[in-house]
Amino acid sequence: MAQITTDICIIGAGPVGLFAVFEAGLLKMRCHLIDVLQQVGGQLSEIYPQKPIYDIPGFPVINAQQLVDGLMEQIEPFKPGFSLGERVTGLEKLDDGSYIVSTNEDTVVRSKVVVIAGGLGCFEPRKPPIDNLETYEGKGVTYMVKDPGLFRDKKVVIAGGGDSALDWTIYLSELAEQVTLVHRGDTFRGAPDSAEKVAHLAGQGKINLLLQSNVTAIQGNGRLQKVQVLDKNKLIQTVEADYLVPLFGLTPRLGPIADWGLQIDKSAISVNTLDYSTNIEGIYAIGDINTYPGKLKLILCGFHEAALMAQSAFKYVYPEQKLSFKYTTVYGVNTF
Amino acid sequence: MIRIRVEDRDGSIRVIEIPDTVDLNLMETLKIYEYKLRATCGGMALCADCHCQVIDGGNNLPEPQDAELITLENHPGASFNSRLACQIRVAEEIDGLSIRLMGETE
């Protein structure tokens, strides 16, 4: 269990969360970031790392991952802490006005200010439309392979056609008793090497490859036992399964933040444009997760919001001090 | 005018009339007409938030390109008539199109 004390706890390590570290750092405020994804960068790294972005001032064009890498370099002097691959589960306000943010990995961050920079929310696995799917979560249905050893000598059905579905099919074919890959397409358009390997394994009879098919139902008796697969000719077959691993990528959901008493408007947090504060004192929301009249979901708007947030947050971190605004062109970037 | 019949997730049906001078994709156009589309990726065929099913009138639609096909093939709710609205340009060719919205709301 990690216990961290900092000035600002930033929920979300996307571009706006990262830049908030810089703006806070200029005012001598330390930050700790939490993100459910294993890497920093949010949508940019998770959804479109190789896409060009054209509206970052000063960069006529910049690749999304390059922007994230640049932000990491820019905030490095301020030594932010990171808890990656962790989902924020709880928020508690203490008597002294500070906050405790906790995660599913038992990390506890105590801070004077909380900044929600969660983009469109917390990335969660995209679930296929199958009745009872959630009933069997943790009882055979899992959306990620954390411990491959779990699948040793088991019957595993993997659903999906992306790189991770191909990669895990190849990996688990050596470990599991039986691997079935169910894919709705007739080809794999992802990594050609992996697709070739999967076809080869299927040709050798080492895996079952069910193309142009979907998992449509699951059955079990407390634990998963069978998976029903429908093909394009409407033929149904039943596959015995100890595990079903649907791998259809991630999609953002607002998650537990929705239950914190924040004013929510259409899945976004309402803020005061004076400083991007929420209706709860000491909690700010910046970037795509906030809403206000005229809101534009642009990275550059999030950067602006981060700057104003930091100026306002200063009063919670240093209540005894007066803030004087300083230009980096005059004073440089003074690190801790 | 380009007319498109749109069935929303709640089953409500409306025919929207779009000026043929519009220079937008169907996802952007639907948002203008106040349909709730989250559009996480903003039109890069990556998120499938603008996933729709073509019910009728799809003969003149341009063939999906690789990026759209990859996303749809990896989307658990996609079917044989699925398209991504962000990859369809609003033009005369799609006049009479009938779609059902499937993707995420805001």
Coordinates of all heavy atoms in Angstrom, one line a residue, chain B residues 1-4 6 8 14-22 24-37 90 101:
Chain B
M1 N -31.2 19.7 -51.3 CA -31.3 19.1 -49.9 C -30.9 17.6 -49.9 O -31.3 16.9 -50.9 CB -32.7 19.2 -49.4 CG -33.0 20.6 -48.9 SD -32.1 21.0 -47.4 CE -32.7 22.6 -47.1
I2 N -30.2 17.2 -48.9 CA -29.9 15.7 -48.8 C -30.8 15.2 -47.6 O -30.7 15.8 -46.5 CB -28.4 15.5 -48.5 CG1 -27.6 16.1 -49.6 CG2 -28.1 14.1 -48.2 CD1 -26.2 16.4 -49.3
R3 N -31.6 14.2 -47.8 CA -32.5 13.7 -46.8 C -31.9 12.4 -46.2 O -31.6 11.5 -47.0 CB -33.9 13.5 -47.3 CG -34.6 14.8 -47.6 CD -35.9 14.7 -48.3 NE -36.5 16.0 -48.6 CZ -36.2 16.7 -49.6 NH1 -35.2 16.4 -50.4 NH2 -36.7 17.9 -49.7
I4 N -31.8 12.4 -44.9 CA -31.4 11.1 -44.2 C -32.3 10.8 -43.1 O -32.7 11.6 -42.3 CB -29.9 11.3 -43.7 CG1 -29.0 11.6 -44.9 CG2 -29.5 10.1 -42.9 CD1 -27.6 11.9 -44.5
V6 N -33.0 9.0 -39.8 CA -32.1 8.7 -38.6 C -33.0 8.0 -37.5 O -34.0 8.7 -37.1 CB -31.4 9.9 -38.0 CG1 -30.5 9.5 -36.9 CG2 -30.6 10.6 -39.1
D8 N -32.8 6.9 -33.8 CA -32.0 7.1 -32.6 C -32.1 5.8 -31.7 O -32.8 4.9 -32.0 CB -32.5 8.3 -31.8 CG -31.3 9.0 -31.0 OD1 -30.2 8.3 -30.9 OD2 -31.5 10.1 -30.6
R14 N -36.5 10.3 -37.3 CA -36.6 11.7 -37.9 C -35.9 11.7 -39.2 O -34.9 11.0 -39.4 CB -36.0 12.6 -36.9 CG -36.0 14.1 -37.2 CD -35.3 14.8 -36.0 NE -34.7 16.0 -36.4 CZ -33.7 16.6 -35.8 NH1 -33.1 16.0 -34.7 NH2 -33.1 17.7 -36.2
V15 N -36.5 12.4 -40.1 CA -35.8 12.6 -41.4 C -35.1 14.0 -41.4 O -35.8 15.0 -41.2 CB -36.7 12.5 -42.6 CG1 -36.0 12.9 -43.9 CG2 -37.4 11.1 -42.7
I16 N -33.8 14.0 -41.4 CA -33.1 15.3 -41.4 C -32.8 15.8 -42.8 O -32.5 15.0 -43.7 CB -31.9 15.3 -40.5 CG1 -30.8 14.3 -41.0 CG2 -32.2 15.1 -39.1 CD1 -29.5 14.4 -40.3
E17 N -33.0 17.1 -43.0 CA -32.7 17.7 -44.3 C -31.5 18.5 -44.2 O -31.5 19.5 -43.5 CB -34.0 18.5 -44.8 CG -35.2 17.6 -44.9 CD -36.3 18.4 -45.6 OE1 -36.3 19.6 -45.6 OE2 -37.3 17.7 -46.1
I18 N -30.5 18.2 -45.0 CA -29.2 18.8 -44.9 C -29.0 19.6 -46.2 O -29.1 19.0 -47.3 CB -28.1 17.8 -44.7 CG1 -28.5 16.8 -43.6 CG2 -26.7 18.4 -44.4 CD1 -27.7 15.5 -43.6
P19 N -28.6 20.9 -46.1 CA -28.2 21.6 -47.3 C -27.1 20.9 -48.1 O -26.2 20.4 -47.4 CB -27.8 23.0 -46.8 CG -28.2 23.1 -45.4 CD -28.4 21.7 -44.9
D20 N -27.2 20.8 -49.4 CA -26.2 20.0 -50.1 C -24.9 20.8 -50.2 O -23.9 20.3 -50.8 CB -26.7 19.6 -51.5 CG -27.4 20.7 -52.2 OD1 -27.2 21.8 -51.9 OD2 -28.2 20.3 -53.2
T21 N -24.8 22.0 -49.7 CA -23.6 22.7 -49.7 C -22.7 22.3 -48.4 O -21.6 22.8 -48.3 CB -23.8 24.2 -49.6 OG1 -24.7 24.5 -48.5 CG2 -24.4 24.7 -50.9
V22 N -23.3 21.5 -47.6 CA -22.6 21.2 -46.3 C -21.3 20.5 -46.7 O -21.2 19.7 -47.6 CB -23.5 20.3 -45.4 CG1 -23.6 18.9 -45.8 CG2 -22.9 20.4 -44.0
L24 N -19.2 18.5 -44.5 CA -19.0 17.8 -43.2 C -19.1 16.3 -43.4 O -19.7 15.8 -44.4 CB -20.0 18.3 -42.2 CG -19.9 19.7 -41.7 CD1 -21.1 20.0 -40.8 CD2 -18.6 20.0 -41.0
N25 N -18.6 15.5 -42.5 CA -18.9 14.1 -42.5 C -20.3 13.9 -41.7 O -20.8 14.8 -41.1 CB -17.8 13.3 -41.9 CG -17.5 13.5 -40.5 OD1 -18.4 13.6 -39.6 ND2 -16.2 13.7 -40.1
L26 N -20.8 12.7 -41.8 CA -22.1 12.4 -41.2 C -22.1 12.5 -39.7 O -23.1 13.0 -39.1 CB -22.6 11.0 -41.7 CG -24.0 10.6 -41.3 CD1 -25.0 11.7 -41.8 CD2 -24.3 9.3 -41.9
M27 N -21.0 12.2 -39.1 CA -20.9 12.3 -37.6 C -21.1 13.8 -37.2 O -21.9 14.1 -36.3 CB -19.6 11.7 -37.1 CG -19.3 11.9 -35.6 SD -18.5 13.4 -35.1 CE -16.8 13.1 -35.7
E28 N -20.3 14.6 -37.9 CA -20.3 16.1 -37.5 C -21.7 16.6 -37.8 O -22.3 17.4 -37.0 CB -19.3 16.8 -38.4 CG -17.9 16.4 -38.0 CD -16.9 16.9 -39.1 OE1 -17.2 16.9 -40.3 OE2 -15.7 17.1 -38.8
T29 N -22.3 16.2 -38.9 CA -23.6 16.7 -39.3 C -24.7 16.2 -38.3 O -25.5 17.0 -37.8 CB -24.0 16.1 -40.7 OG1 -23.0 16.4 -41.6 CG2 -25.3 16.7 -41.2
L30 N -24.6 15.0 -37.8 CA -25.6 14.5 -36.8 C -25.5 15.3 -35.5 O -26.5 15.6 -34.9 CB -25.4 13.0 -36.6 CG -25.8 12.1 -37.7 CD1 -25.2 10.7 -37.5 CD2 -27.3 12.0 -37.8
K31 N -24.3 15.7 -35.2 CA -24.1 16.5 -34.0 C -24.7 17.8 -34.1 O -25.3 18.4 -33.2 CB -22.6 16.6 -33.6 CG -22.0 15.4 -33.0 CD -20.5 15.5 -32.9 CE -20.0 16.2 -31.7 NZ -19.8 15.4 -30.5
I32 N -24.6 18.4 -35.3 CA -25.2 19.7 -35.6 C -26.8 19.6 -35.4 O -27.4 20.5 -34.9 CB -24.9 20.2 -37.0 CG1 -23.4 20.7 -37.0 CG2 -25.8 21.3 -37.4 CD1 -22.9 21.0 -38.4
Y33 N -27.3 18.4 -35.8 CA -28.7 18.2 -35.7 C -29.1 17.7 -34.3 O -30.1 17.1 -34.1 CB -29.2 17.3 -36.8 CG -29.3 18.0 -38.1 CD1 -28.2 18.2 -38.9 CD2 -30.5 18.5 -38.6 CE1 -28.2 18.9 -40.1 CE2 -30.6 19.1 -39.8 CZ -29.5 19.4 -40.6 OH -29.5 20.1 -41.7
E34 N -28.2 17.9 -33.4 CA -28.3 17.6 -31.9 C -28.5 16.2 -31.6 O -29.2 15.8 -30.6 CB -29.5 18.5 -31.4 CG -29.1 20.0 -31.5 CD -30.1 20.9 -30.8 OE1 -31.2 20.5 -30.5 OE2 -29.7 22.0 -30.6
Y35 N -28.0 15.3 -32.4 CA -27.9 13.9 -32.0 C -26.8 13.7 -31.0 O -25.7 14.4 -31.2 CB -27.8 12.9 -33.2 CG -29.1 12.8 -33.9 CD1 -29.4 13.5 -35.0 CD2 -30.0 11.9 -33.4 CE1 -30.6 13.4 -35.7 CE2 -31.3 11.7 -34.1 CZ -31.5 12.5 -35.2 OH -32.7 12.4 -35.8
K36 N -26.9 12.9 -30.0 CA -25.9 12.7 -29.1 C -24.9 11.7 -29.5 O -25.2 10.5 -29.6 CB -26.5 12.3 -27.7 CG -27.2 13.4 -27.1 CD -27.8 13.0 -25.7 CE -28.5 14.1 -25.1 NZ -29.2 13.7 -23.9
L37 N -23.7 12.2 -29.9 CA -22.6 11.3 -30.3 C -21.4 11.7 -29.6 O -21.0 12.9 -29.7 CB -22.4 11.4 -31.8 CG -23.4 11.0 -32.8 CD1 -23.1 11.4 -34.2 CD2 -23.5 9.4 -32.7
V90 N -21.0 13.8 -46.2 CA -22.4 14.1 -46.6 C -22.4 14.7 -48.0 O -21.8 15.8 -48.2 CB -23.0 15.1 -45.6 CG1 -24.4 15.5 -46.0 CG2 -23.1 14.4 -44.2
L101 N -28.6 4.8 -35.2 CA -27.5 5.1 -34.4 C -27.2 4.0 -33.3 O -28.2 3.6 -32.7 CB -27.7 6.5 -33.7 CG -27.9 7.6 -34.6 CD1 -28.0 8.9 -33.8 CD2 -26.8 7.8 -35.7

